[in-house]
Amino acid sequence: MKQLDLEDVDRLPGLRLRAGETFGFRCHPGIACFNRCCRNLTLLLYPYDVIRLKARLGLTSDEFLERHTDAVLRPGSHFAEVLLRMAENSDRTCPFLCDTGCGVYSDRPDTCRTFPLEQGLLHHAATNTDETIFFFRPPDFCLGRYEAKQWTAPEWVQDQEADAYHRMTIRWAELQRLFQNDPWGAEGPMGARAKMAFMAAYNIDRFREFVFGSSFLKRFKVKPQLLARIQKDDVQLMLLGFDWIRLFLWGIRSQLLKPRQP
């Protein structure tokens, strides 16, 4: 998800969809470009994407991250991004593409679910508020945009069952914005604190082991009801992890966990 300031919006490619505006699109096996968008991708995975995919595939977080992703630290960034690793074939297809289409369709990532739209989070500095905006941006080869079916952005989100994904991606984007400034100091983005933060965001199984198998609960107080839920609920644990990163790196107070008094 792009995090934008007002001056960025008009410079971005694609058509911004305002309230009530529509776009034409329909993807189906009868069009010549079917599944072409599943090739040669640079596809970002968000933490909620990883939770859904690793559960769908019956893998641990370690197994999924090792087999299917690459962590990349882009120049000027202070936190690694997770990319889906493409198959090692001539077309560099998505590893989940099969003859009939997407093999993980009901658990496909947020970016795939939102296509041909791109979602952004517009930050209004004057009010310190965020606004979700959408751009219609199909690739040049996409023939689905010439189909007659019309959608508004909210209609498309509902049709693609993307609402839960979007809510979780926005939660992640709000945290990610903090990494616009370097929190690591001399330790750098490959140090111990960075690895701990990455674990809390993307390796939910390891984070659960950390919460229940280390001194974590001696140092932080978590409400009993939430503590019971996070033993099995990956999404609730992920949200706790987001709050812990804020507290751990920036000292931002959390409603989910509180430091215990010495």
Side-chain angles (χ1 to χ4, degrees), residues 50-66:
V50 172
I51 285 175
R52 290 285 295 259
L53 286 170
K54 69 105 176 174
R56 171 63 176 259
L57 299 170
L59 300 175
T60 66
S61 299
D62 275 333
E63 290 169 336
F64 179 81
L65 292 169
E66 177 66 26

Side-chain angles (χ1 to χ4, degrees), residues 173-184:
E174 291 169 346
L175 170 57
Q176 215 175 15
R177 182 184 293 119
L178 297 174
F179 285 101
Q180 291 176 353
N181 297 312
D182 184 358
W184 313 122

Side-chain angles (χ1 to χ4, degrees), residues 106-163:
S106 60
D107 296 287
R108 66 198 185 281
D110 192 16
T111 300
C112 304
R113 197 169 290 264
T114 306
F115 179 90
L117 303 186
E118 291 189 8
Q119 183 184 16
L121 198 63
L122 177 59
H123 184 66
H124 298 274
T127 57
N128 196 31
T129 58
D130 294 320
E131 175 190 357
T132 302
I133 60 176
F134 290 93
F135 293 87
F136 179 56
R137 193 186 173 193
D140 291 341
F141 63 75
C142 176
L143 302 177
R145 58 183 165 168
Y146 302 117
E147 297 282 312
K149 178 65 177 176
Q150 294 289 310
W151 309 87
T152 64
E155 287 170 344
W156 184 247
V157 169
Q158 182 178 11
D159 183 80
Q160 298 299 299
E161 299 180 342
D163 186 61

